[in-house]
Amino acid sequence: MSVCNFTRSGLRSATRAARMELKAPARSMSLLSQRTPRSAAPQRRAAPAAVRSMQTLDFAGSPEKVYERVDWPLEKLQDYFKNDTFALLGYGSQGHGQGLNLRDNGMNVIVGVRKDGESWRQAVGDGWVPGKNLFTVEEAATKGTILMNLLSDAAQTATWPELKKYVTKGKTLYFSHGFSIVYKDQTNVIPPSDVDVILCAPKGSGRTVRTLFKEGRGINSSVAVFQDVSGQALERAIAMGIAIGSGYLYETTFQKEVYSDLYGERGCLMGGIQGMFKAQYDVLRANGHSPSEAFNETCEEALESLYPLVAQNGMDYMYKACSTTARRGALDWAPEFEKACRPVFERLYKSVKDGEETRRALGFGNRPTYREDYDKETDAIADQEMWRVGHVVRSLRPHRSQE
């Protein structure tokens, strides 16, 4: 496509500027850069000019509550959780990111995983010490006051009969996904009635939770309360959201979180993107375009040039950064794609809502060979011509040659 004030160089300049803005530190303090050891006395810091517990913002005519990191400076977090032990059950993507962020923020956090398994070895590699802050799931659940159930969805179902006896009165049960609670008819995860049950769901992978925290930015997350026994469940969920590395949080429910999450990752976030990229690439190749041209016009330009502009300033900004010819075509064809995709998205949402997606996920996740089976499917994607071409294209990026 012809872009950016008639030249690609102009768009590249705009993209670089957008990336520089994206990389700029958030105005909120970096919990990582300003952390203090748990044993150290908290430093006195000037109070922010305006202290608030939340804001109500207008999202296109709908008022919503938003909670920000500025409301929970590090010393406040450390004091709030000074009597708590975070028992991180599971050390997958979210467990890794949230656990390391909690540790860097000076929280008393321990990890519980299967002894000598792969997650145990990874935790040791990240500096968790067996017998000090690395235990079996059962030991960690016994010691913890806040039980962070970050096992996989299938593992939560399998381990609940044993784990539930450690969820005792006065403890807090924490999730980062509404899956097990909402689909209880399939998972049999039913918490006791005398504990707070809360959720903080980062809107990204655990790797992103970690990298954004280290950059001082913070991921956005949702928070929800399923059961409030203490009368402070929401406050605790918000504080935990900030402690694990969130920059800001918005309220939802367990049900809405899992519906939107399962729907989104199967749609625009992952499944839909792969399907649309593949279809466009294959049509270009079938019409005689070279692999490099097909990949650049399908994936590389989207990911490296246009999507960053959308991320920074919105779709309208990206349209205006492109040539009038590109803009006209995009405006004309967007409704066609919307019309074609709408029935697929409606069918997808129904599949999430009626539990079909959950049944498929649990059935697959409970296979003894599920890891190997997943690898076969993702390896098949990696072996598609489009993504094999992508390896070569990415190696040509100028910054790669300087690494």
Side-chain angles (χ1 to χ4, degrees):
M1 60 186 274
S2 174
V3 291
C4 206
N5 298 327
F6 312 110
T7 67
R8 289 182 183 272
S9 61
L11 181 56
R12 284 195 293 269
S13 298
T15 305
R16 283 194 296 271
R19 283 186 186 144
M20 290 181 68
E21 291 182 32
L22 281 168
K23 292 179 179 179
R27 63 180 178 83
S28 305
M29 56 173 256
S30 166
L31 295 181
L32 180 66
S33 64
Q34 301 191 30
R35 66 180 182 269
T36 57
R38 188 176 179 84
S39 58
Q43 298 177 355
R44 292 191 175 274
R45 191 174 297 146
V51 178
R52 56 187 181 275
S53 58
M54 64 90 180
Q55 291 190 84
T56 299
L57 300 180
D58 186 328
F59 288 86
S62 296
E64 294 185 38
K65 295 178 181 177
V66 175
Y67 304 89
E68 295 183 275
R69 183 169 55 190
V70 69
D71 304 319
W72 287 89
L74 187 54
E75 64 271 24
K76 179 180 177 180
L77 279 175
Q78 292 178 341
D79 183 67
Y80 187 82
F81 290 117
K82 64 184 177 183
N83 296 320
D84 283 303
T85 297
F86 295 82
L88 190 76
L89 310 179
Y91 202 67
S93 174
Q94 286 294 336
H96 166 269
Q98 294 188 32
L100 291 177
N101 291 355
L102 283 168
R103 189 176 72 182
D104 285 347
N105 275 336
M107 303 299 147
N108 182 20
V109 55
I110 59 178
V111 174
V113 292
R114 181 169 59 86
K115 189 173 183 180
D116 296 328
E118 180 58 30
S119 293
W120 181 279
R121 288 189 286 273
Q122 290 179 8
V124 170
D126 286 335
W128 303 95
V129 180
K132 178 183 178 183
N133 51 25
L134 177 59
F135 304 93
T136 64
V137 171
E138 295 76 16
E139 289 176 300
T142 300
K143 296 175 182 292
T145 60
I146 300 174
L147 306 186
M148 302 176 66
N149 196 341
L150 298 180
L151 296 163
S152 70
D153 295 323
Q156 287 185 22
T157 301
T159 59
W160 182 251
E162 176 66 19
L163 182 61
K164 65 182 179 182
K165 66 185 179 185
Y166 301 104
V167 185
T168 54
K169 185 177 181 178
K171 292 191 176 185
T172 297
L173 182 59
Y174 168 100
F175 295 91
S176 282
H177 196 15
F179 190 105
S180 292
I181 295 293
V182 173
Y183 297 106
K184 63 182 183 300
D185 292 343
Q186 297 180 49
T187 65
N188 293 314
V189 176
I190 303 174
S193 60
D194 56 358
V195 299
D196 286 350
V197 182
I198 62 175
L199 171 150
C200 177
K203 299 297 102 179
S205 73
R207 293 180 184 274
T208 310
V209 172
R210 181 61 176 162
T211 55
L212 291 182
F213 174 85
K214 291 169 70 176
E215 291 172 10
R217 294 166 59 191
I219 198 166
N220 63 305
S221 305
S222 60
V223 290
V225 173
F226 178 75
Q227 196 165 270
D228 185 1
V229 175
S230 68
Q232 299 176 327
L234 178 59
E235 180 182 67
R236 176 152 290 210
I238 294 165
M240 285 195 67
I242 301 303
I244 66 166
S246 304
Y248 75 89
L249 309 118
Y250 62 90
E251 285 190 58
T252 187
T253 66
F254 271 62
Q255 185 182 75
K256 288 179 180 178
E257 188 283 327
V258 71
Y259 282 6
S260 60
D261 185 81
L262 295 180
Y263 173 75
E265 63 199 10
R266 283 154 176 77
C268 290
L269 300 180
M270 295 172 64
I273 290 294
Q274 163 63 14
M276 192 169 177
F277 277 178
K278 182 70 163 52
Q280 177 169 311
Y281 179 91
D282 287 350
V283 169
L284 285 169
R285 292 287 287 123
N287 281 276
H289 296 268
S290 70
S292 63
E293 183 171 60
F295 186 86
N296 274 291
E297 293 293 346
T298 298
C299 304
E300 188 74 351
E301 187 167 350
L303 300 173
E304 281 288 283
S305 186
L306 301 183
Y307 290 179
L309 296 178
V310 180
Q312 184 63 28
N313 292 300
M315 185 67 72
D316 61 314
Y317 179 92
M318 187 271 286
Y319 276 22
K320 291 172 183 175
C322 296
S323 71
T324 55
T325 301
R327 195 182 313 165
R328 181 68 266 149
L331 290 169
D332 289 344
W333 277 90
E336 293 292 322
F337 282 101
E338 181 183 355
K339 181 179 177 180
C341 292
R342 180 66 182 259
V344 178
F345 279 108
E346 287 176 342
R347 185 157 49 89
L348 170 57
Y349 192 85
K350 182 178 182 297
S351 184
V352 169
K353 189 174 181 179
D354 67 17
E356 178 59 28
E357 294 303 307
T358 314
R359 283 186 283 274
R360 293 175 62 188
L362 287 174
F364 193 96
N366 283 319
R367 290 183 190 176
T369 59
Y370 84 96
R371 291 186 186 275
E372 294 87 346
D373 294 341
Y374 269 132
D375 285 343
K376 288 178 183 177
E377 291 187 272
T378 52
D379 287 348
I381 292 175
D383 196 46
Q384 291 172 357
E385 182 189 90
M386 177 172 65
W387 294 118
R388 286 188 283 116
V389 172
H391 282 293
V392 180
V393 172
R394 287 191 293 274
S395 72
L396 296 173
R397 295 174 183 169
H399 68 86
R400 285 288 181 96
S401 64
Q402 299 170 5
E403 290 177 354

